[in-house]
């Protein structure tokens, strides 16, 4: 579990008064692993033709993306200092027209994944070996476009596409029949369920061998993971910490 | 004989041969006439299925890699149903692509309101970086597509099932209106397929001794303000004929481009409410108030009005 990244998330959200702490804490360990161990990219060439694509379809968790991009040197600290501020390039949802290495502007749920499917399809047309990774929320899986595009990806045998589902039970609040692995399997995907906060489990999930089907990695995550009072599905979804709460968060993460 | 859907299929082969970046996606329509394209370019043709919003999202993903998508299906489903995808996945992200529809207005006259679409043009005009056309002949579509398909803009081609069959003597150019007739008594501004009705009405008005300045609009955005203003300046009496919603159509553009100029009289013939009737195209033109006699009636009212 990445405590320093979580502290940085709390810090930028506290400063800007904007952001989704629990959603970001749910996915930050996976995004960190993607950028440190999985994705091919060149830090001086955002549009490098052979790069792997990562699309954060659940865009409201983007504070996690910003702190990881800062850690690996694709964003600088001054950009994070201006997060969600006038004149800054980093907002409460990712904008590909402003931020290098952001492959898709997201925010309205159910948009990033069809774009990921289109990108994977285009790479097949162009006969390129790059891979496409897309992170969606389990609540986002209420959107019809997730399943429309999942259906298409399976039919087109997009083996260059990996979707990661942040299975943190957001969906189950509204739809208690929470059978995401069965659903994705029935749509023709290779399904791997793992612990999205445990490094060995993450490593194992991302090191599966080749498969003719698209792969979905379903992460059994905890919304707000790392700080007891941000965990779960309560008031903290879009809450901004005050000074004392920020100190409590830092204390919990130390 | 014009057949715009066939013209679309033929054009895709022509452009697809010259440009390896062209990718054609359909929502389970026109797959029969696209078989030659599919056979020739199997890796660049996809009958995606019946999931229009996802077709648009997938097209945006394709565009993001530098390829040029063409998305094609019925207007209400590709534009109205999927408008958030067009707005966010293309306009917001500054990606270019081509949207080609059939079944706009009440072209599917026997299928009822679910298959009608009156607001596609105005919706597409809302977008940054969009080009919006309503070609009503094979020739227009072919020329307009070639001119813009790879510009990186969001290009909309609303293909009618009811072409006007008029043969142009002047070149077709994106964003340029066509002067069909020159006159000084009244301006008729006809959009897309309405040129057919406007030609019939103009002939009858001419037989009554009037001269008609007939302007044809195939490109709604960018709008040819200059030609329209020049026509209104001559006649000061204007009828706009459009198979579009009366609430946000070409009439608005005409008024806007004339605003602050001299006094003139304007009449809009457009679709004012959902059409629940069945029948053929001509019958629904009657219901909508878009038949030649409606144009003549509107013209006679304007022509009989004495300026103060």
């Amino acid at each position: 579990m990445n405590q320093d990244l979580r502290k940085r998330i709390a810090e930028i959200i506290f400063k800007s008064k904007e952001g989704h702490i629990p959603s970001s804490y749910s996915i930050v360990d996976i995004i960190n692993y993607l950028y440190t161990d999985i994705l091919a990219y060149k830090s001086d060439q955002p549009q490098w033709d052979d790069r792997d694509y990562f699309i954060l379809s659940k865009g409201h968790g983007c504070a996690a993306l910003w702190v990881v991009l800062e850690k690996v040197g694709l964003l600088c600290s001054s950009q994070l200092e201006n997060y969600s501020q006038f004149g800054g390039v980093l907002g409460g949802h990712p904008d590909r027209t402003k931020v290098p290495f952001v492959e898709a502007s997201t925010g309205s749920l159910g948009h990033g994944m069809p774009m990921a499917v289109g990108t994977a399809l285009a790479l097949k047309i162009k006969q390129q070996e790059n891979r496409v990774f897309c992170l969606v929320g389990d609540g986002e899986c209420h959107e019809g476009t997730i399943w429309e595009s999942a259906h298409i990806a399976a039919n087109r045998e997009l083996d260059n596409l990996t979707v990661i589902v942040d299975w943190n039970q957001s969906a189950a609040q509204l739809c208690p029949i929470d059978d995401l692995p069965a659903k994705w399997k029935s749509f023709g995907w290779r399904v791997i369920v793992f612990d999205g906060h445990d490094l060995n489990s993450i490593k194992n999930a991302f090191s599966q061998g080749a498969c003719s089907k698209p792969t979905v990695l379903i992460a059994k995550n905890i919304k707000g993971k790392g700080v007891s009072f941000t965990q779960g599905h309560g008031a903290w979804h879009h809450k901004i910490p005050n000074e004392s709460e920020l100190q409590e968060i830092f204390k919990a993460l130390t | 004989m014009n057949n715009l859907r066939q013209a679309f299929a033929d054009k895709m082969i022509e452009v697809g041969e010259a440009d390896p970046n062209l990718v054609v996606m359909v929502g389970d329509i026109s797959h029969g006439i696209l078989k030659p394209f599919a056979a020739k370019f199997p890796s660049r043709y996809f009958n995606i299925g019946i999931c229009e919003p996802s077709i648009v999202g997938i097209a945006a993903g394709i565009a993001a890699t530098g390829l040029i998508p063409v998305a094609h299906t019925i207007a209400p489903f590709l534009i109205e149903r999927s408008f958030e995808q067009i707005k966010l996945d293309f306009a917001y992200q500054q990606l270019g692509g081509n949207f080609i529809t059939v079944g706009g207005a009440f072209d599917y006259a026997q299928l009822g309101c679910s298959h009608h679409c009156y607001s596609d043009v105005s919706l597409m005009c809302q977008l940054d970086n969009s080009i919006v056309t309503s070609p009503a002949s094979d020739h227009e579509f072919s020329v307009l597509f070639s001119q813009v398909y790879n510009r990186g803009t969001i290009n909309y081609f609303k293909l009618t099932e009811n072409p006007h069959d008029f043969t142009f003597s002047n070149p077709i150019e994106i964003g340029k209106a066509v002067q069909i007739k020159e006159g000084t008594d009244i301006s008729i501004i006809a959009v897309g397929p309405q040129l057919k009705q406007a030609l019939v009405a103009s002939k009858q008005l001419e037989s009554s001794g009037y001269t008609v300045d007939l302007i044809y609009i195939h490109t709604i955005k960018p709008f040819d303000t200059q030609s329209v203003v020049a026509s209104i300046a001559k006649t000061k009496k204007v009828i706009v004929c459009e198979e579009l919603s009366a609430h946000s159509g070409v009439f608005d553009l005409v008024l806007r481009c004339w605003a602050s100029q001299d006094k003139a009289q304007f009449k809009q013939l457009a679709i004012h409410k959902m059409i629940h009737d069945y029948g053929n195209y001509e019958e629904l033109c009657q219901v909508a108030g878009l038949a030649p006699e409606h144009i003549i009636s509107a013209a006679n009212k304007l022509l009989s009005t004495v300026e103060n």
Side-chain angles (χ1 to χ4, degrees), chain B residues 59-111:
Chain B
I62 287 173
T65 69
L67 299 179
I68 302 171
V70 172
H72 166 69
T73 184
I74 304 171
F77 312 145
L78 188 63
I79 307 301
E80 291 174 324
R81 182 189 184 111
S82 312
F83 188 67
E84 189 187 74
Q85 273 70 24
I86 299 173
K87 181 185 104 176
L88 296 185
D89 300 351
F90 278 89
Y92 176 29
Q93 309 205 38
Q94 297 175 2
L95 292 169
N98 298 282
F99 299 87
I100 301 178
T101 66
V102 292
F106 39 74
D107 274 9
Y108 287 170
Q110 294 172 301
L111 298 183

Side-chain angles (χ1 to χ4, degrees), chain B residues 179-241:
Chain B
Q179 183 91 44
I180 305 289
K181 289 172 178 286
E182 292 208 43
T184 55
D185 293 323
I186 192 161
S187 298
I188 298 179
I189 297 171
V191 183
Q194 273 293 304
L195 178 59
K196 193 173 196 172
Q197 278 71 260
L199 283 165
V200 174
S202 299
K203 200 171 173 187
Q204 190 155 331
L205 289 165
E206 285 162 353
S207 70
S208 301
Y210 297 111
T211 61
V212 176
D213 207 56
L214 180 53
I215 304 288
Y216 174 59
I217 304 291
H218 51 66
T219 305
I220 296 99
K221 185 184 175 188
F223 193 61
D224 187 354
T225 300
Q226 196 177 4
S227 296
V228 168
V229 166
S231 179
I232 301 171
K234 276 194 287 187
T235 65
K236 303 286 180 66
K237 295 178 192 292
V238 186
I239 299 172
V240 178
C241 310

Side-chain angles (χ1 to χ4, degrees), chain A residues 53 94-97 104-105 108 111 114-115 117-119 121-122 125-126 145 148-149 152 156, chain B residues 23 43 46-48 51 53-54 57-58 60-62 65 67 84-85 88-89 92-95:
Chain A
Y53 289 74
D95 184 338
R96 72 185 290 276
T97 70
S105 306
S108 180
H111 283 253
M115 281 196 68
V117 171
T119 300
L121 195 58
I125 295 169
K126 296 167 95 168
T145 51
E148 290 176 1
S149 54
I152 293 158
R156 298 288 165 190
Chain B
V23 179
S43 71
F46 302 97
N47 184 358
I48 295 285
C51 49
S54 289
I58 290 168
I62 287 173
T65 69
L67 299 179
E84 189 187 74
Q85 273 70 24
L88 296 185
D89 300 351
Y92 176 29
Q93 309 205 38
Q94 297 175 2
L95 292 169

